[in-house]
Coordinates of all heavy atoms in Angstrom, one line a residue:
G107 N 132.5 72.5 137.4 CA 131.2 73.0 137.7 C 131.2 74.5 138.0 O 130.1 75.1 138.2
E108 N 132.4 75.1 138.2 CA 132.4 76.5 138.5 C 132.1 77.3 137.3 O 132.4 76.9 136.2 CB 133.8 76.9 139.0 CG 134.1 76.4 140.4 CD 135.6 76.6 140.7 OE1 136.3 77.3 140.0 OE2 136.0 76.0 141.7
C109 N 131.6 78.6 137.5 CA 131.4 79.4 136.4 C 132.7 80.0 135.8 O 133.7 80.1 136.6 CB 130.5 80.6 136.8 SG 128.9 80.0 137.4
P110 N 132.8 80.4 134.6 CA 134.0 81.0 134.1 C 134.2 82.4 134.7 O 133.2 83.0 135.0 CB 133.7 81.1 132.6 CG 132.2 81.2 132.5 CD 131.7 80.3 133.6
G132 N 131.0 88.9 138.6 CA 130.5 88.3 139.8 C 129.1 87.6 139.6 O 128.7 87.5 138.5
C133 N 128.6 87.1 140.7 CA 127.3 86.3 140.6 C 126.5 86.5 141.9 O 126.9 87.2 142.8 CB 127.6 84.8 140.4 SG 128.2 84.1 141.9
M134 N 125.3 86.0 141.9 CA 124.4 86.1 143.0 C 124.4 84.9 143.9 O 123.6 84.8 144.8 CB 123.0 86.3 142.5 CG 122.7 87.6 141.7 SD 122.8 89.1 142.8 CE 121.3 88.9 143.8
S135 N 125.3 83.9 143.6 CA 125.2 82.6 144.3 C 126.4 82.4 145.3 O 127.2 83.3 145.4 CB 125.2 81.5 143.3 OG 124.2 81.7 142.4
D136 N 126.4 81.3 145.9 CA 127.4 81.0 146.8 C 127.6 79.4 146.8 O 127.5 78.8 147.9 CB 127.0 81.5 148.2 CG 128.1 81.2 149.3 OD1 129.3 81.1 148.9 OD2 127.7 81.0 150.5
C137 N 127.8 78.9 145.7 CA 127.9 77.4 145.5 C 129.0 76.8 146.4 O 130.1 77.4 146.5 CB 128.1 77.0 144.0 SG 126.8 77.8 143.0
Y139 N 130.9 74.4 146.1 CA 132.1 73.8 145.5 C 132.9 74.8 144.8 O 133.9 74.5 144.1 CB 131.7 72.7 144.5 CG 130.7 73.1 143.5 CD1 131.1 73.8 142.4 CD2 129.3 72.9 143.7 CE1 130.2 74.2 141.4 CE2 128.4 73.3 142.8 CZ 128.8 74.0 141.6 OH 127.9 74.4 140.7
C140 N 132.5 76.1 144.9 CA 133.1 77.1 144.0 C 134.2 77.9 144.6 O 134.1 78.4 145.7 CB 132.0 78.0 143.5 SG 132.6 79.4 142.5
I141 N 135.3 78.1 143.9 CA 136.4 78.9 144.4 C 136.4 80.2 143.6 O 136.9 81.2 144.1 CB 137.8 78.2 144.3 CG1 138.9 78.9 145.0 CG2 138.2 77.9 142.8 CD1 139.0 78.4 146.4
T142 N 135.8 80.2 142.4 CA 135.7 81.4 141.6 C 135.1 82.6 142.3 O 135.6 83.7 142.3 CB 134.9 81.2 140.3 OG1 135.5 80.1 139.6 CG2 134.8 82.4 139.4
K143 N 134.0 82.3 143.0 CA 133.2 83.3 143.7 C 134.1 84.2 144.7 O 134.0 85.4 144.8 CB 132.1 82.6 144.5 CG 131.4 83.5 145.5 CD 130.3 84.3 144.8 CE 129.6 85.2 145.7 NZ 128.6 86.0 145.1
T146 N 135.7 86.8 142.6 CA 134.9 87.8 141.8 C 133.9 88.5 142.6 O 133.4 89.6 142.2 CB 134.2 87.0 140.7 OG1 133.5 85.9 141.2 CG2 135.2 86.5 139.7
Q177 N 130.2 85.6 134.8 CA 130.0 84.4 135.7 C 128.7 83.8 135.5 O 128.5 82.6 135.4 CB 130.2 84.8 137.2 CG 131.6 84.6 137.7 CD 132.5 85.8 137.3 OE1 132.1 86.9 137.6 NE2 133.5 85.5 136.7
D178 N 127.7 84.7 135.4 CA 126.3 84.2 135.3 C 125.5 85.3 134.6 O 125.0 86.3 135.2 CB 125.7 84.0 136.7 CG 124.3 83.4 136.7 OD1 123.8 83.3 135.6 OD2 123.8 83.2 137.8
M211 N 127.1 81.4 129.6 CA 126.6 80.6 130.8 C 125.6 81.5 131.6 O 125.9 82.6 132.0 CB 127.7 80.2 131.6 CG 127.5 78.9 132.3 SD 126.4 79.1 133.7 CE 127.4 80.1 134.7
N213 N 123.0 80.7 134.9 CA 122.4 79.7 135.8 C 120.9 79.7 135.7 O 120.3 80.7 135.5 CB 122.9 80.0 137.2 CG 124.3 79.4 137.4 OD1 124.6 78.2 137.1 ND2 125.2 80.2 137.9
R254 N 124.3 74.1 147.3 CA 123.9 75.5 147.4 C 123.6 76.2 146.1 O 123.9 77.4 145.9 CB 124.9 76.4 148.3 CG 125.0 75.9 149.7 CD 125.4 77.0 150.7 NE 126.7 77.6 150.3 CZ 127.8 77.2 150.9 NH1 127.8 76.3 151.8 NH2 129.0 77.8 150.5
R255 N 123.1 75.4 145.1 CA 122.6 76.0 143.9 C 121.3 76.7 144.3 O 120.6 76.3 145.2 CB 122.4 74.9 142.8 CG 123.6 74.2 142.5 CD 124.6 75.0 141.7 NE 124.2 75.1 140.3 CZ 124.7 76.0 139.5 NH1 125.7 76.8 139.9 NH2 124.3 76.1 138.2
Ligands
LIG523 S1 127.2 80.8 140.4 FE1 128.1 79.3 141.8 S2 129.7 78.3 140.6 FE2 129.2 80.2 139.5 S3 130.6 81.8 140.2 FE3 128.8 81.9 141.5 S4 129.2 80.7 143.3 FE4 130.7 80.1 141.7

Side-chain angles (χ1 to χ4, degrees):
E108 291 169 7
C109 299
C133 75
M134 294 292 290
S135 307
D136 181 30
C137 303
Y139 53 84
C140 176
I141 193 88
T142 300
K143 170 83 183 181
T146 55
Q177 263 80 55
D178 183 356
M211 213 285 293
N213 277 310
R254 294 206 300 267
R255 301 288 284 166

